[in-house]
Amino acid sequence: VYARVPLKASGYGDAVAARNDKENCATNTRRWPKKRKKAHAASMDWEEVRRRTSSFVPLITACPAKAAKADGDDEPPRKIFLDAGARKYQSSPTWFRTKYPQGDEFTMHAFDADAGYAREYEHDKKATFTAGLLWNESGYASFSKKLVFDYWTFHKDEADAPPNTGRTMLALDFAAIVKNVTRPKDFVVLKIDIEGAEFPVFRHLAQTGALEHIDEVFMECHHGEWVPLWPSNHSLADCHRLMNALTAVGIFTHKWY
């Protein structure tokens, strides 16, 4: 979606310079137009988005045996979809139900920081919605500006919110959730779009062993070269390294748009 937008930077230092260089740093007007909402929808290349989301090869097609009953096993693996940063039901949950092979057979666990989306999931009897910010500990997260990783502070007690906090919400230990709702033998697909927190969260999933439960990942990776002024300490190269690291341990990994 963003490949045609020339953004300067090959490392984080260059990304910072690019964001501060108004003359040479291109502005992705398709993603961040001056007049948002309606203009945003009009400026996005939706044909390209549809092409990319329909041309992927899912793991369940590439390796059907991953989701099949093993010899001598009394119970087949359960099919489970974890949607981290799900937002509205008509977004990634509907895409998964309709586009992913056997998507309607999966048990869905959807998570989003905005509790307002909960009602949209009530009609899906195989889906549960949990409101909260996904993190590496249970507690609370307070935001100073936008609902993105670099703008929030974690604290164990709600009363410890720093001054001038715009919003405080529940933080959830995602690794503990993964280990609680899945088993290593299950066929587990994870879509993750958590506004920059994917780097520490994946590190914690690996450290706790929860990553061993996941077979396939669709990830939107946020970095300082994504769009100008995006607050991140990570570069595009960091995103490539993360995806390569997931692939290296046997996880079928895709970019999410």
Side-chain angles (χ1 to χ4, degrees):
V1 178
Y2 315 112
R4 303 173 192 168
V5 181
L7 295 179
K8 176 183 175 182
S10 57
Y12 175 59
D14 289 337
V16 172
R19 291 203 299 271
N20 293 330
D21 185 348
K22 295 183 179 179
E23 290 186 5
N24 298 319
C25 186
T27 299
N28 187 342
T29 55
R30 297 196 303 174
R31 177 84 184 192
W32 307 108
K34 292 180 179 179
K35 295 181 180 178
R36 293 173 183 267
K37 295 185 178 179
K38 289 185 178 180
H40 161 71
S43 61
M44 282 292 287
D45 190 344
W46 294 111
E47 182 179 348
E48 178 70 2
V49 172
R50 286 191 290 270
R51 185 189 70 79
R52 294 194 182 197
T53 55
S54 63
S55 63
F56 74 100
V57 178
L59 177 58
I60 202 169
T61 299
C63 186
K66 291 286 289 185
K69 183 177 179 179
D71 292 338
D73 195 346
D74 294 332
E75 184 182 358
R78 298 174 300 176
K79 299 183 182 75
I80 299 175
F81 176 53
L82 305 175
D83 197 336
R87 299 186 66 79
K88 62 177 64 177
Y89 187 84
Q90 291 300 319
S91 184
S92 48
T94 296
W95 170 85
F96 187 83
R97 284 287 193 232
T98 59
K99 300 298 183 182
Y100 194 92
Q102 303 173 36
D104 58 343
E105 299 178 10
F106 281 68
T107 298
M108 179 187 299
H109 296 275
F111 307 87
D112 199 88
D114 191 339
Y117 295 119
R119 279 191 170 186
E120 298 187 18
Y121 291 78
E122 292 176 353
H123 72 282
D124 190 332
K125 303 306 180 184
K126 292 184 179 180
T128 58
F129 178 89
T130 302
L133 181 144
L134 298 180
W135 185 233
N136 300 333
E137 297 181 70
S138 296
Y140 296 88
S142 293
F143 292 83
S144 59
K145 295 181 181 179
K146 304 175 183 177
L147 297 182
V148 296
F149 175 58
D150 296 74
Y151 284 140
W152 63 266
T153 303
F154 174 82
H155 45 96
K156 292 293 290 185
D157 298 316
E158 188 173 11
D160 293 335
N164 301 320
T165 294
R167 185 177 179 185
T168 297
M169 62 182 60
L170 195 66
L172 307 173
D173 186 335
F174 188 49
I177 291 173
V178 171
K179 297 178 80 171
N180 183 51
V181 302
T182 70
R183 304 166 301 180
K185 66 179 290 184
D186 292 332
F187 184 76
V188 180
V189 180
L190 167 65
K191 186 232 87 182
I192 185 166
D193 178 7
I194 52 176
E195 308 305 327
E198 58 271 8
F199 291 95
V201 165
F202 270 117
R203 188 180 304 115
H204 189 61
L205 289 172
Q207 292 170 345
T208 58
L211 195 62
E212 299 171 15
H213 293 226
I214 299 170
D215 298 288
E216 185 170 18
V217 167
F218 292 84
M219 175 176 61
E220 180 166 303
C221 189
H222 304 78
H223 55 84
E225 300 160 58
W226 186 34
V227 290
L229 304 181
W230 181 263
S232 176
N233 289 326
H234 293 282
S235 67
L236 176 58
D238 291 328
C239 289
H240 291 163
R241 292 187 191 100
L242 177 54
M243 295 191 71
N244 289 340
L246 294 172
T247 302
V249 297
I251 297 175
F252 218 53
T253 307
H254 314 264
K255 291 181 181 178
W256 177 256
Y257 301 96

